[in-house]
Amino acid sequence: MRSLNETLSVKQAANPDGRLIDKVVMITGAASGIGREIALTFASEGAMVVIADLDRQAAQRTAAEIDPTGKRALGVAMDVGDEEQVEIGMGQAIQAFGRLDVLVSNAGIQIVGPLVEFEFAKWKKLLSIHLDGAFLTTRAALRQMYKQNSGSIIYMGSVHSKEASPLKAAYVTAKHGLIGLAKVVAKEGAAHGVRANVICPGFVRTPLVEKQIPEQARAFGISEAEVVKNIMLKETVDGEFTTVQDVAEAALFLAAFPSSALTGQSLVVSHGWSMQ
């Protein structure tokens, strides 16, 4: 069985005209789940990737799997809600690769519970990671992108950027906020060649979603199977989860888009759950 690095080498050799040849990409929350899949997809298209994650060791392991030499992949520790850590991590990325072409603001958490009982500390924690994190990484990225007069910022929203569900007040609020931030970045960044867009996935069966299934089963007094069928996938056209590969392909499309015709937009990837 090929190693991950060998698999990526094969893909790159078969795809010498990859869509992100020598582009430098930072992905937050990229040591696992959706972020990791985006990093692998971007690397297979020729990008140099910076794996930013709260878990330094996991970030470095993922980077080493992509490129053990460290020439095309870097793992950095980053709590996206911490201004100093964001500035240090961004500085490490630019020092290593000399530029930044794409930022994928992906780091996030989920906390569910009735609004009337929702703890303020949990509200602040979730919004800090999703919104403060998006702001801090965006600001740091824009400083470099403006110097280059080019760049693309992709926010990881959700169908909950457009819809609402019970027990998810903080998450829905945060994900709606990312669309507003992307629109402002698209307006301000246009003069500097910077685009901004949002991906809005449906339910992707990552550890984040796996954790929600028993939580919602308890909250609603139903089985876990009913949570999946009647809550998570009820509005899809085929009863299927969105995959990490689906989301990574959408991110690649947005990152590689050749002009500012596609900016300030939100792309729903949800098996038809949300149609607009």
Side-chain angles (χ1 to χ4, degrees):
M1 182 179 294
R2 291 194 185 106
S3 69
L4 176 57
N5 183 52
E6 288 170 334
T7 300
L8 288 173
S9 296
V10 170
K11 287 183 177 180
Q12 289 165 356
N15 186 26
D17 298 318
R19 285 172 280 181
L20 296 177
I21 293 291
D22 292 336
K23 298 294 186 182
V24 178
V25 181
M26 173 179 279
I27 306 124
T28 66
S32 62
I34 291 172
R36 185 177 188 274
E37 188 65 28
I38 292 173
L40 300 182
T41 298
F42 282 18
S44 74
E45 291 283 339
M48 292 175 279
V49 295
V50 181
I51 311 296
D53 201 275
L54 190 62
D55 186 334
R56 180 195 301 272
Q57 291 185 338
Q60 292 175 342
R61 281 197 303 271
T62 300
E65 289 175 4
I66 292 171
D67 181 7
T69 71
K71 293 179 180 178
R72 302 190 67 83
L74 172 70
V76 300
M78 186 181 292
D79 175 349
V80 296
D82 184 303
E83 183 175 13
E84 183 178 8
Q85 287 195 34
V86 170
E87 293 294 332
I88 290 172
M90 189 66 71
Q92 290 173 333
I94 294 168
Q95 182 177 17
F97 296 122
R99 59 184 295 114
L100 181 69
D101 298 290
V102 182
L103 168 67
V104 182
S105 177
N106 168 73
I109 62 169
Q110 176 63 286
I111 305 172
V112 300
L115 182 57
V116 70
E117 300 170 4
F118 210 86
E119 297 174 25
F120 187 37
K122 291 181 178 178
W123 172 275
K124 290 191 290 185
K125 178 180 179 180
L126 190 147
L127 265 64
S128 174
I129 293 170
H130 286 271
L131 293 181
D132 294 353
F135 161 71
L136 290 171
T137 54
T138 296
R139 187 181 65 177
L142 287 179
R143 293 184 183 125
Q144 178 63 31
M145 290 176 176
Y146 281 10
K147 291 178 184 177
Q148 302 165 186
N149 207 38
S150 66
S152 173
I153 296 179
I154 301 169
Y155 299 99
M156 194 56 61
S158 165
V159 167
H160 286 104
S161 296
K162 298 172 177 291
E163 307 284 351
S165 294
L167 309 180
K168 296 186 177 181
Y171 188 79
V172 170
T173 299
K175 292 303 190 182
H176 272 66
L178 290 176
I179 287 184
L181 177 60
K183 290 179 178 179
V184 172
V185 175
K187 293 281 189 180
E188 292 189 6
H192 306 277
V194 176
R195 299 181 298 111
N197 294 287
V198 186
I199 301 173
C200 300
F203 282 104
V204 181
R205 201 145 192 176
T206 61
L208 194 70
V209 167
E210 291 288 356
K211 178 176 177 287
Q212 292 178 57
I213 295 173
E215 290 175 342
Q216 293 200 27
R218 288 192 297 270
F220 290 116
I222 58 179
S223 71
E224 292 186 16
E226 288 174 310
V227 170
V228 171
K229 181 179 180 180
N230 298 327
I231 296 178
M232 291 186 170
L233 304 181
K234 180 182 179 181
E235 301 300 330
T236 64
V237 297
D238 54 9
E240 296 289 339
F241 279 99
T242 302
T243 68
V244 291
Q245 293 83 8
D246 294 331
V247 181
E249 286 296 326
L252 177 60
F253 169 71
L254 292 174
F257 198 82
S259 78
S260 59
L262 183 55
T263 191
Q265 304 302 313
S266 51
L267 178 62
V268 179
V269 186
S270 70
H271 286 256
W273 172 11
S274 178
M275 298 184 184
Q276 295 188 1

